[in-house]
Amino acid sequence: MDYAFLQQYWWFLVSLLGALLVFLLFVQGGQTFIFAARRDEPLQRMIVNSTGRKWEFTLTTLVTFGGAFFASFPLFYSTSFGGAYWVWILICLTFVIQAVSYEYQSKHGNIWGKKTFQTFLFINGVLAPVLLGAAVSTLFTGGNFVVDKSAIYDLSSSMQTISVWQPDPLTGLQLHGLEAIFNPWNVVLGVTLLFLARTTALLYFINNIEDEVAYERARKSLLPNAAIFVVLFVAYVVFLMVTKGYDVDPSTGAVSLVQYKYLHNFLAMPVILIVFLVGVVLVLAGVILTLVKKGFRKGIWLEGVGVVLAVLGLLLILGYNNTAYYPSIADLNSSLTLQNSSSSPYTLKAMSIVSLLIPFVLAYIVYAWRAIDRKKITRHEMGQDEEIKY
């Protein structure tokens, strides 16, 4: 296991965690349907309970994703989290209000009322996927930063900051990551993630809630949400395939713009291309089978696996094949690559040994998931003791 192998191994693990996080955002997508069911209180409670039993999985995966990125590629962590901090603060804030809402909305003595906390859940459901999508899109479109590793040795400076975020070129303001919204493709990916989360949530409701009204309403909403997602997803993928990417010279480390870079990455790594295409097919199969086959309730598993594979494929072409995975629009050669931003060989090797426990953790997650979902959510259950309900 040489240094290059360890760097690529950890990029794979980080990409896999990111792909799993995108799938688990169905919790956020499900929360956006809370007020759509406001005239049917039992249905609304079923929706809240369905998502409420899984929100910890999403939050834990987000934290693990951030931790893995920090440990394996600390320069990215310090550059993005330390420079574009307004985006990450907003993301974290939405998850804080989500956790508080699930905990307190049905507690006795709640003076704010259940609707207030459900509004917080709706806000988290919309903003979390959009902001995460916009943040991830900057890995393709670039961030406005400059990296100077020698700054750490500058004793005359009080900060000794390696990565410095530059003012937004359009407004001249120091926006610290919020300038991402001025790139329309960042917004497109954010909205794409939102409608993917809503589509996955509808498939999850169909599988998780045992109620004819919920089933029919979910199937009715599935087509428009899936259609919007597909249109936006295809548009973004076409944009990636035809746009310029950030190529790294393996001998010098110099970064240059190359037309069709991400398309070339797919063609140079056909296994990853196959993984991506299989994922896309599974996503479409899960949605289409649910729409055309009456009573089919297992679309979530086809679509869920497809989401993980498709996102994994996109994230892998972002870092592999001599590609800068976090390009700088302020200074090309400040762009972050697997080679110039990773931890030391000792750290990566030590963490790789610990990563051998991942299959056991995944097995426990599968066990816990099955145990939670063994009994479907019903209207009768919602009529019982509310003390243990969300």
Side-chain angles (χ1 to χ4, degrees):
M1 292 192 298
D2 60 11
Y3 197 18
F5 171 82
L6 291 171
Q7 291 166 334
Q8 295 193 15
Y9 172 71
W10 273 98
W11 182 255
F12 173 81
L13 291 183
V14 168
S15 299
L16 180 59
L17 286 170
L20 290 170
L21 175 61
V22 171
F23 163 65
L24 290 170
L25 286 176
F26 75 82
V27 173
Q28 276 63 36
Q31 291 166 186
T32 63
F33 291 102
I34 290 176
F35 293 120
R38 62 185 180 276
R39 296 182 180 179
D40 188 342
E41 185 176 349
L43 176 59
Q44 187 180 62
R45 291 184 62 188
M46 285 190 288
I47 290 174
V48 173
N49 275 264
S50 182
T51 58
R53 296 177 183 184
K54 295 295 187 300
W55 73 270
E56 294 99 332
F57 287 90
T58 309
L59 182 59
T60 302
T61 304
L62 175 65
V63 173
T64 306
F65 171 73
F69 230 142
F70 168 71
S72 54
F73 300 98
L75 188 54
F76 166 80
Y77 195 88
S78 64
T79 300
S80 181
F81 287 65
Y85 51 77
W86 280 120
V87 173
W88 296 110
I89 286 175
L90 289 174
I91 291 172
C92 290
L93 179 61
T94 65
F95 279 93
V96 169
I97 63 174
Q98 179 200 37
V100 171
S101 298
Y102 277 122
E103 180 67 24
Y104 291 104
Q105 65 175 300
S106 295
K107 290 287 187 181
H108 294 299
N110 170 18
I111 60 174
W112 286 6
K114 181 180 292 188
K115 186 175 181 179
T116 299
F117 289 108
Q118 290 180 346
T119 301
F120 289 161
L121 290 178
F122 180 83
I123 292 172
N124 169 258
V126 173
L127 288 185
V130 171
L131 291 173
L132 281 170
V136 170
S137 183
T138 61
L139 299 181
F140 291 101
T141 60
N144 195 28
F145 60 89
V146 173
V147 175
D148 181 11
K149 292 185 178 180
S150 65
I152 198 171
Y153 302 109
D154 185 5
L155 300 181
S156 64
S157 172
S158 60
M159 297 184 65
Q160 296 175 293
T161 304
I162 294 177
S163 304
V164 179
W165 215 258
Q166 303 299 302
D168 175 57
L170 293 177
T171 63
L173 301 175
Q174 194 71 272
L175 298 178
H176 290 289
L178 292 181
E179 66 272 10
I181 63 174
F182 295 123
N183 186 318
W185 287 110
N186 295 339
V187 178
V188 167
L189 185 60
V191 179
T192 302
L193 235 61
L194 171 62
F195 280 93
L196 172 61
R198 285 170 61 88
T199 299
T200 309
L202 291 169
L203 292 172
Y204 181 70
F205 291 154
I206 289 172
N207 178 262
N208 183 244
I209 299 176
E210 193 69 46
D211 182 79
E212 193 60 30
V213 174
Y215 173 75
E216 291 298 335
R217 292 185 64 165
R219 287 187 78 237
K220 183 178 179 181
S221 300
L222 182 59
L223 180 58
N225 282 276
I228 295 173
F229 157 69
V230 169
V231 170
L232 293 175
F233 178 74
V234 170
Y236 193 83
V237 171
V238 170
F239 158 71
L240 287 185
M241 295 303 102
V242 301
T243 193
K244 292 180 179 179
Y246 297 80
D247 184 73
V248 182
D249 187 326
S251 58
T252 65
V255 179
S256 59
L257 286 169
V258 174
Q259 192 76 44
Y260 310 121
K261 171 62 177 173
Y262 300 112
L263 175 60
H264 293 160
N265 284 358
F266 266 141
L267 298 177
M269 299 177 288
V271 173
I272 295 178
L273 176 59
I274 292 172
V275 168
F276 172 75
L277 293 177
V278 169
V280 171
V281 170
L282 287 176
V283 169
L284 295 176
V287 172
I288 293 173
L289 285 174
T290 303
L291 288 172
V292 303
K293 191 174 180 181
K294 183 72 172 179
F296 183 76
R297 294 177 177 268
K298 298 186 181 298
I300 178 64
W301 304 122
L302 290 173
E303 192 259 7
V305 172
V307 168
V308 173
L309 293 178
V311 176
L312 178 62
L314 288 176
L315 292 178
L316 289 181
I317 65 166
L318 178 62
Y320 286 172
N321 197 38
N322 300 315
T323 307
Y325 71 84
Y326 196 26
S328 169
I329 59 176
D331 174 28
L332 274 182
N333 288 312
S334 290
S335 302
L336 303 188
T337 68
L338 301 187
Q339 292 72 33
N340 68 15
S341 65
S342 69
S343 294
S344 67
Y346 175 82
T347 301
L348 293 181
K349 180 176 283 189
M351 293 195 306
S352 297
I353 296 173
V354 177
S355 72
L356 297 177
L357 297 174
I358 290 177
F360 298 97
V361 176
L362 291 177
Y364 173 76
I365 291 174
V366 172
Y367 170 78
W369 186 294
R370 288 173 60 87
I372 293 173
D373 279 358
R374 184 174 292 118
K375 184 179 179 182
K376 303 295 183 183
I377 294 176
T378 64
R379 288 180 183 265
H380 175 71
E381 180 186 2
M382 294 301 100
Q384 296 176 357
D385 185 11
E386 189 174 344
E387 185 66 28
I388 61 171
K389 308 300 179 188
Y390 290 110

